Amino acid sequence: MRRPAHPYSVNRPVYSEDSFSEEHQNICRKHKTLQDHVKVYLRCDATRVKRVACSLLPIIQWVRLYNVKKWLVGDLVSGVSTGLVSVLQGLAYCLLASLPPWYGLYTAFFPVIIYFFLGTSRHISVGAFPVLSLMVGSVVTRLVPDEGPIANITGFEGLTKDEQRVMVAASVTFLMGIIQLAFGLVQAGFIVTYLSDVLISGYTTAAAIHILVSQLKFVLGLNIKNYTGPLALIYTLEEIFAQIENSNIASLVMSAIIIVVVFIVKELNERFKAKLPVPLPIEVAITVIACGVSYACKFVEKYDVDVVGKIPVGYEPPMAPSVEIFKLTVMDAFPMAIVAFAVAYSVAKVYAIKHEYTIDGNQELIAFGVSNIFGATFRSFAASTALSRTAVQESTGGKTQVAGLLSAIIVMIVTISIGFLLEPLPKAVLGAIVIINLKGMLMQMRVVGFLWKKDRPDCMVWLMTFGGSLLLGMDLGIPVGLAAELLALVFRTQFPRCSLLANISGTDIYRDCKDYRNIFAPSGVKIFRISTPIYFANVEFFRNKLNEYLGFNPLRVLRKRNKALQKIKKLLKSGELQITEKGLLYMTSNSNEDSDDEGNTEDLDQPSDYKDLPLQVNWNAELPANMRVPKVDVHSVILDFAAVSFLDISAIKGLKSALKELIRVEVDVYIVACDRYVLEKLHSCSFFDDEIKTSMFFLSLHDAMLHVMENHPIILEYNTLNEKVSCVSPALTSDSFSFQVLWPETKL
């Protein structure tokens, strides 16, 4: 049973913006200039130095709060579990980057160390991310292709193909880190807001298909050329199908078994996650088993299975990036920097909300920028985070980045001491593990049906991003997605929803007159609402819609009236038209001219000039000499600007023109609920003049409506159950009103 609403009553005067400002003292605020912001930003004192130091080194804050008794055991278990997964995913995702597998171990170590000190998220696991690895791989194979000439770079002299590819990957990662660091230093963390969830979903789904296709050569045991550029996916599939008869059966069977087993165990982990203390480490177990079986059964010798091979012990010395590669890859590094940050920030935000702490987007940019710069110096490739690896770190009890540091130590132990145990690991196993981890991204395709039903512009953004990334390549996918978002935004704002409002009976509430039955709609009054800011792209749509709802074009009416006035003056002057004692016009001769020189169009657009006429013309009455002027049955227009958050110069000019056209055909115009910023801009842009005055602005719709009713005590249309009844509006005797009884209760 619905509880009755509590009535309330408020008595106050009818306020226009001018009267409200006069009665209630307005504070004139001084807006900060760019110079003021720069002074604040560059101010230096002890408090600011301390705050900046804590901001740049978040470890200073959280390490003081570290609870050893409660958190250390969880971090230890999480660190070991995440470290084992990081080793496996580092090897697997390195194949996407077209690099020797062991370089993935570098990516799972060096960036993690830096993020431990600079990162603000306590739960994300830093390291290789499949989409980012694929983007690195496209750059690597473009500059150092499998077949054909390599890029003309001085630093390539004397290097093997693998070393050349490592140089390309490290250099583009270094450049990516510089871009992220620069964005972080200029506080540009807001850029991630331009990548909507829909865009990221479409982009990562297309990336998942690219990754799936790229791993087929390992699963099938084929020697496939790496293609880059537009339609690379099509060319890769074409070559796979051309060579499919040469598939390695051992690799195929092993991959199929691993995919099925890992899928089943992951589903069990998901279904019983509330009962399991930690998820079953099926990927690690499968890797250990596969290494043992491969070594014992001599897969390389007997079945010609491609394996990881020799893994060097320890780390290689640091290297300087190549400036020549910078010049060739700057357009690739930029989207990589954005994607890496967007994915990491999105994942970090999810866990920050879950565990009730905050993260700093700008500091995250700095952390990942320095991590990638430092990692690239030691030959690692682009690092971000992976949702599956982060889920392991959080679900196994990780509380802080101590777990991340321990995972890096596990990776270091593997690299220095026991890496040789992974040498017999078949690449088909890594490919199968990569494919099964794509399930989450591929399942995003289900969102298309939902978006098509609920929000078609968003659906088009998803489809365009997905299609662009799939066919044109991952490097062009982000620009295509941003262009699609821009088109969707323009579509939403260029053709916004407009409506005519009416008063809900017995309230001060106004709603779309098409949505309710019991409404009061005063005749001669139109309340028009536009639900978006007005700017250059939609100002003409606003004017056309306004004219459509009014039922007449004020400029056309004005021109017709001025033309008629010219004719009336001409006929009066010639004596063909005279005035009786009652003020009525009649023809002294039987003149039926209806055509006359329209004169200058600019003159017809000016306010009607009645100064030479001895009476006021009633334009809604019948006119002499067959003159026809459209009738205007509207005396007041109220524009609801509650949703108009800004106006640009073009919109201000268009609005001013529209208001003047209405005022010149004797229609009163009122603007209500206008934002203070918009009012200030109107004043600064010389919007007001002799015709458009500040007195037309009112605080609310009801203020404006009561003002109209005071000036025009006219017929009301009471609309109930689709039956219209008319009653005369009583003249208002007071400037105040009550919200309790807003309209007269008329007995009919």
Side-chain angles (χ1 to χ4, degrees):
M1 182 177 179
R2 187 171 62 180
R3 297 176 60 186
H6 295 287
Y8 71 94
S9 177
V10 177
N11 290 304
R12 65 168 176 82
V14 173
Y15 281 128
S16 67
E17 289 285 352
D18 289 344
S19 63
F20 185 80
S21 297
E22 290 175 4
E23 184 170 335
H24 301 276
Q25 191 172 6
N26 192 12
I27 298 175
C28 184
R29 291 184 298 167
K30 180 184 177 182
H31 296 288
K32 288 185 177 181
T33 64
L34 178 61
Q35 185 178 2
D36 294 330
H37 287 290
V38 171
K39 285 182 179 178
V40 172
Y41 186 76
L42 297 179
R43 190 183 72 243
C44 184
D45 53 39
T47 303
R48 181 171 174 79
V49 169
K50 182 179 178 181
R51 187 168 63 248
V52 170
C54 291
S55 174
L56 292 176
L57 289 171
I59 188 175
I60 296 174
Q61 292 181 322
W62 65 260
V63 78
R64 293 180 300 173
L65 305 174
Y66 192 83
N67 192 323
V68 177
K69 292 182 179 180
K70 291 184 178 180
W71 295 352
L72 184 58
V73 174
D75 282 341
L76 284 172
V77 174
S78 175
V80 173
S81 302
T82 308
L84 295 174
V85 175
S86 297
V87 169
L88 181 59
Q89 290 190 351
L91 295 172
Y93 296 156
C94 199
L95 299 179
L96 297 173
S98 300
L99 300 174
W102 62 85
Y103 286 99
L105 300 178
Y106 298 176
T107 306
F109 176 72
F110 291 106
V112 179
I113 301 299
I114 299 300
Y115 189 85
F116 173 78
F117 294 99
L118 301 181
T120 60
S121 174
R122 302 175 191 172
H123 292 90
I124 65 170
S125 174
V126 177
F129 176 58
V131 176
L132 206 56
S133 301
L134 188 68
M135 297 175 76
V136 172
S138 67
V139 177
V140 168
T141 52
R142 189 182 76 237
L143 297 184
V144 187
D146 292 332
E147 300 175 1
I150 63 174
N152 186 18
I153 295 173
T154 306
F156 282 176
E157 296 176 1
L159 300 180
T160 64
K161 179 171 288 188
D162 283 344
E163 291 172 338
Q164 292 171 347
R165 289 187 167 185
V166 169
M167 176 179 282
V168 172
S171 296
V172 73
T173 299
F174 194 98
L175 181 58
M176 183 188 88
I178 291 175
I179 294 172
Q180 290 177 326
L181 179 60
F183 279 152
L185 292 176
V186 299
Q187 306 289 289
F190 64 86
I191 58 173
V192 72
T193 59
Y194 295 108
L195 302 179
S196 67
D197 292 342
V198 174
L199 185 150
I200 293 295
S201 175
Y203 185 78
T204 52
T205 305
I209 295 177
H210 276 283
I211 294 168
L212 174 63
V213 172
S214 71
Q215 295 305 293
L216 288 179
K217 67 178 183 180
F218 300 112
V219 170
L220 298 174
L222 299 175
N223 185 16
I224 303 296
K225 176 184 175 183
N226 288 315
Y227 292 93
T228 59
L231 302 181
L233 186 74
I234 306 299
Y235 298 142
T236 303
L237 286 173
E238 181 183 11
E239 187 169 351
I240 287 174
F241 284 114
Q243 298 186 29
I244 199 165
E245 294 181 353
N246 301 324
S247 299
N248 188 301
I249 302 301
S251 296
L252 180 58
V253 171
M254 184 167 35
S255 300
I257 293 173
I258 289 172
I259 288 174
V260 172
V261 171
V262 173
F263 175 79
I264 293 173
V265 176
K266 279 182 173 287
E267 289 297 310
L268 292 175
N269 279 338
E270 183 64 26
R271 179 168 297 185
F272 299 106
K273 63 181 179 181
K275 298 180 180 180
L276 293 171
V278 294
L280 299 175
I282 183 61
E283 294 167 333
V284 176
I286 283 290
T287 303
V288 173
I289 295 171
C291 285
V293 173
S294 173
Y295 179 77
C297 298
K298 299 183 179 180
F299 277 4
V300 178
E301 293 83 358
K302 291 184 178 180
Y303 305 107
D304 195 26
V305 172
D306 193 12
V307 296
V308 170
K310 180 67 175 177
I311 297 180
V313 176
Y315 294 101
E316 299 180 27
M319 61 172 286
S322 170
V323 177
E324 292 179 83
I325 296 177
F326 284 178
K327 297 176 182 178
L328 297 174
T329 60
V330 63
M331 298 306 295
D332 301 283
F334 187 82
M336 286 168 56
I338 301 300
V339 170
F341 172 63
V343 171
Y345 184 76
S346 300
V347 175
K349 188 164 62 173
V350 169
Y351 288 99
I353 293 172
K354 180 178 178 180
H355 294 277
E356 299 180 348
Y357 64 91
T358 59
I359 57 173
D360 183 351
N362 295 312
Q363 181 59 27
E364 287 294 293
L365 272 170
I366 293 173
F368 276 102
V370 177
S371 295
N372 281 303
I373 290 173
F374 181 73
T377 305
F378 289 91
R379 293 175 170 81
S380 74
F381 58 90
S384 179
T385 188
L387 183 57
S388 60
R389 195 170 59 246
T390 299
V392 170
Q393 180 164 318
E394 189 266 347
S395 62
T396 52
K399 301 296 183 183
T400 65
Q401 280 301 325
V402 170
L405 182 64
L406 291 172
S407 72
I409 293 173
I410 296 297
V411 174
M412 181 184 68
I413 293 172
V414 171
T415 306
I416 294 175
S417 303
I418 59 175
F420 66 93
L421 296 176
L422 296 172
E423 292 178 1
L425 179 63
K427 290 184 178 179
V429 174
L430 297 176
I433 291 174
V434 169
I435 289 173
I436 199 60
N437 279 302
L438 297 176
K439 178 198 167 189
M441 288 193 284
L442 292 173
M443 293 300 287
Q444 293 177 130
M445 287 186 178
R446 294 182 300 180
V447 79
V448 177
F450 173 81
L451 290 176
W452 182 255
K453 293 177 182 178
K454 304 298 182 183
D455 196 324
R456 294 194 177 180
D458 268 353
C459 185
M460 295 309 299
V461 171
W462 195 99
L463 291 173
M464 290 179 67
T465 306
F466 175 78
S469 304
L470 201 65
L471 298 176
L472 301 180
M474 300 307 298
D475 52 340
L476 297 177
I478 291 292
V480 170
L482 290 173
E485 277 191 329
L486 180 61
L487 288 175
L489 180 63
V490 168
F491 177 80
R492 293 177 194 273
T493 58
Q494 189 172 356
F495 306 104
R497 183 179 182 274
C498 301
S499 56
L500 284 181
L501 307 183
N503 176 260
I504 303 299
S505 175
T507 72
D508 65 325
I509 298 169
Y510 293 78
R511 291 291 184 266
D512 192 329
C513 58
K514 296 179 181 179
D515 296 337
Y516 294 87
R517 294 188 177 185
N518 296 328
I519 60 173
F520 277 107
S523 61
V525 181
K526 300 288 186 181
I527 306 174
F528 181 79
R529 175 181 173 83
I530 182 171
S531 57
T532 186
I534 306 175
Y535 65 110
F536 68 92
N538 66 4
V539 64
E540 284 304 316
F541 178 85
F542 162 75
R543 296 183 63 176
N544 293 336
K545 273 293 181 182
L546 178 60
N547 293 344
E548 178 186 329
Y549 281 125
L550 293 178
F552 64 90
N553 186 326
L555 183 59
R556 180 173 176 270
V557 172
L558 179 63
R559 289 176 176 175
K560 287 284 187 180
R561 287 186 180 183
N562 283 337
K563 180 182 175 184
L565 273 177
Q566 291 177 355
K567 188 169 185 179
I568 289 172
K569 291 178 180 180
K570 180 179 178 181
L571 293 175
L572 283 172
K573 187 175 182 180
S574 65
E576 297 180 51
L577 190 64
Q578 296 183 359
I579 304 175
T580 65
E581 294 178 357
K582 296 182 179 180
L584 300 177
L585 299 170
Y586 77 99
M587 299 296 299
T588 58
S589 62
N590 195 17
S591 173
N592 289 323
E593 309 178 43
D594 194 31
S595 62
D596 200 356
D597 182 18
E598 292 192 6
N600 191 346
T601 304
E602 293 183 2
D603 294 337
L604 297 179
D605 292 347
Q606 298 305 311
S608 300
D609 184 8
Y610 298 101
K611 65 181 180 181
D612 295 332
L613 287 179
L615 80 167
Q616 183 73 31
V617 180
N618 181 2
W619 294 110
N620 287 333
E622 185 177 351
L623 299 177
N626 294 327
M627 287 183 284
R628 293 181 178 84
V629 175
K631 295 182 179 180
V632 176
D633 57 359
V634 176
H635 59 73
S636 300
V637 173
I638 302 176
L639 302 179
D640 183 3
F641 270 30
V644 179
S645 58
F646 75 87
L647 297 165
D648 66 1
I649 297 299
S650 300
I652 290 174
K653 290 181 179 179
L655 178 63
K656 187 172 185 177
S657 176
L659 298 189
K660 285 193 172 186
E661 291 170 6
L662 287 168
I663 292 170
R664 289 170 182 176
V665 295
E666 301 169 7
V667 175
D668 296 331
V669 183
Y670 304 96
I671 298 177
V672 302
C674 189
D675 184 81
R676 180 177 177 82
Y677 162 78
V678 175
L679 267 175
E680 290 177 357
K681 186 164 186 178
L682 293 177
H683 279 285
S684 65
C685 293
S686 303
F687 180 76
F688 301 102
D689 54 23
D690 294 337
E691 292 179 277
I692 301 178
K693 305 180 183 299
T694 57
S695 58
M696 67 171 53
F697 286 79
F698 281 78
L699 284 186
S700 69
L701 271 173
H702 205 59
D703 285 299
M705 179 61 76
L706 290 175
H707 177 78
V708 170
M709 297 302 298
E710 184 178 10
N711 293 337
H712 300 274
I714 54 175
I715 300 296
L716 288 174
E717 289 183 356
Y718 177 51
N719 194 352
T720 175
L721 299 177
N722 293 330
E723 296 178 0
K724 289 186 178 180
V725 184
S726 296
C727 61
V728 178
S729 168
L732 301 179
T733 57
S734 172
D735 288 336
S736 65
F737 69 89
S738 169
F739 283 154
Q740 192 170 22
V741 181
L742 300 170
W743 298 105
E745 296 292 338
T746 308
K747 301 293 185 181
L748 299 175

